[in-house]
Amino acid sequence: MKIGMVGLGRMGANMARRLMKGGHAVAGFDPKPEARKALEADGAEVAESLEALVAKLEAPRTVWVMVPSGQVTDATLAGLLPSLAAGDTVVDGGNSLYKDTQRRAQAFAHRAVHYVDCGTSGGVWGLAEGYSLMVGGDESVVEGLRPVFETLAPAKDKGWGRVGPVGAGHFTKMVHNGIEYGLMQAYAEGFSILQHKSEFGLDLHQVAEIWRDGSVVRSWLLDLTSAALEENPTMKGIAPYVADSGEGRWTVAEAIDLDVAAPVITLSLLERLRSRDADSFSDKLLAAMRGQFGGHPIRKE
């Protein structure tokens, strides 16, 4: 089975390469010519349009979409749908909001085209280590794609599974990323406390290395933290600005809708938002308030 891959950014291209290493034929499309050329150099077929990509696949076709969530995904799917036929399958492997996934699946169902959502984790390490895949969709359709998921996962029987109907895959990945926010924040705060205890002169990379073995807080994320501290112990040259791609916000909103307390995830999201306020009006106002009621000195810029 030849698999169509739409979106040849770093993750999409690496997933295509892992599929090829696993013996699958791949045809890829990306609007950027340089992305197409890079994958073609690795042995994949490439197409210069969505229509041309679909034409390279034998029915029933499988097209895996790896593009940013939101309007880009909608536009890509709208461009794909006219070329697809009953029995074909589209897999959305991006970080789409699960409610959008459910809406899109209904539109594809009207054309008898199967829709599968696959929450994908693994980042730049996925090519070598395999991807964690949280799959939502019709059970028989997912089962038909088993060889694809087994190739992309760390092992045939590890790191992937069908978690429920359409939307369940992206919902699970959304919560996964919310948890990720909280874990990252906890590590960052802990190492900041260590760094500020100057009298001990702690080597943060050494501490991270100690914690990596036998510690209750050991994890792959700690492994990556240790690597970052080895490369740049003082974080020199890195702006204190932390982006978010949306999943943390969606997780917090869902927690509120479900009346579930999620203070750690919520505060970790707020800390990311706070990191972007280089000229905080609220902090200035707090300082002014203290000056008003207590006569406390106000530090000038």
Side-chain angles (χ1 to χ4, degrees):
M1 175 176 62
K2 186 185 295 182
I3 302 159
M5 179 68 70
V6 178
L8 303 178
R10 184 162 57 178
M11 191 171 224
N14 280 347
M15 294 179 77
R17 293 181 180 108
R18 187 170 176 89
L19 287 169
M20 289 189 290
K21 286 185 177 181
H24 297 276
V26 174
F29 167 74
D30 192 282
K32 296 180 179 178
E34 58 271 24
R36 299 197 299 267
K37 290 179 180 178
L39 191 64
E40 187 176 33
D42 286 334
E45 287 187 64
V46 296
E48 296 188 359
S49 69
L50 291 172
E51 296 81 4
L53 175 69
V54 174
K56 290 180 178 292
L57 307 176
E58 294 183 4
R61 308 167 186 86
T62 297
V63 181
W64 192 297
V65 177
M66 287 297 293
V67 299
S69 64
Q71 293 183 349
V72 176
T73 299
D74 279 322
T76 300
L77 295 174
L80 268 176
L81 188 54
S83 300
L84 299 176
D88 291 343
T89 301
V90 170
V91 181
D92 179 0
N95 285 325
S96 292
L97 177 62
Y98 79 96
K99 294 176 182 178
D100 290 337
T101 298
Q102 292 173 320
R103 168 179 58 79
R104 292 162 182 155
Q106 290 180 351
F108 277 72
H110 292 152
R111 295 282 296 272
V113 175
H114 305 301
Y115 201 91
V116 173
D117 57 304
C118 181
T120 307
S121 180
V124 298
W125 297 89
L127 176 59
E129 304 292 336
Y131 297 90
S132 175
L133 307 170
M134 297 142 266
V135 187
D138 182 85
E139 190 170 359
S140 62
V141 176
V142 173
E143 184 61 29
L145 294 172
R146 173 178 286 272
V148 177
F149 296 127
E150 289 180 342
T151 300
L152 290 171
K156 289 186 176 182
D157 59 346
K158 293 180 180 179
W160 82 276
R162 176 184 177 271
V163 296
V166 170
H170 283 152
F171 181 83
T172 305
K173 178 56 163 47
M174 176 190 75
V175 177
H176 164 283
N177 282 26
I179 293 171
E180 181 183 284
Y181 279 37
L183 291 172
M184 292 174 70
Q185 187 66 32
Y187 279 126
E189 291 177 5
F191 279 100
S192 180
I193 295 170
L194 294 171
Q195 191 268 340
H196 278 79
K197 193 64 173 177
S198 56
E199 67 183 270
F200 289 148
L202 296 169
D203 181 334
L204 301 190
H205 174 246
Q206 179 197 30
V207 173
E209 285 293 299
I210 292 170
W211 288 355
R212 288 180 63 198
D213 295 293
S215 166
V216 173
V217 299
R218 66 187 183 274
S219 70
W220 184 55
L221 184 55
L222 179 60
D223 296 343
L224 299 178
T225 302
S226 178
L229 288 168
E230 182 178 28
E231 293 172 7
N232 189 352
T234 63
M235 301 293 106
K236 183 178 179 180
I238 299 177
Y241 180 103
V242 186
D244 77 282
S245 53
E247 295 88 345
R249 299 175 186 231
W250 301 340
T251 303
V252 171
E254 195 69 29
I256 293 170
D257 288 345
L258 295 172
D259 290 332
V260 174
V264 172
I265 295 174
T266 302
L267 287 174
S268 66
L269 171 63
L270 295 179
E271 279 299 309
R272 292 194 180 201
L273 300 180
R274 181 178 174 81
S275 76
R276 300 163 205 179
D277 192 357
D279 187 31
S280 175
F281 179 82
S282 61
D283 286 348
K284 292 179 179 180
L285 184 56
L286 285 171
M289 288 181 197
R290 294 184 77 247
Q292 288 289 329
F293 68 73
H296 300 290
I298 298 175
R299 183 178 299 180
K300 301 297 182 180
E301 291 182 327

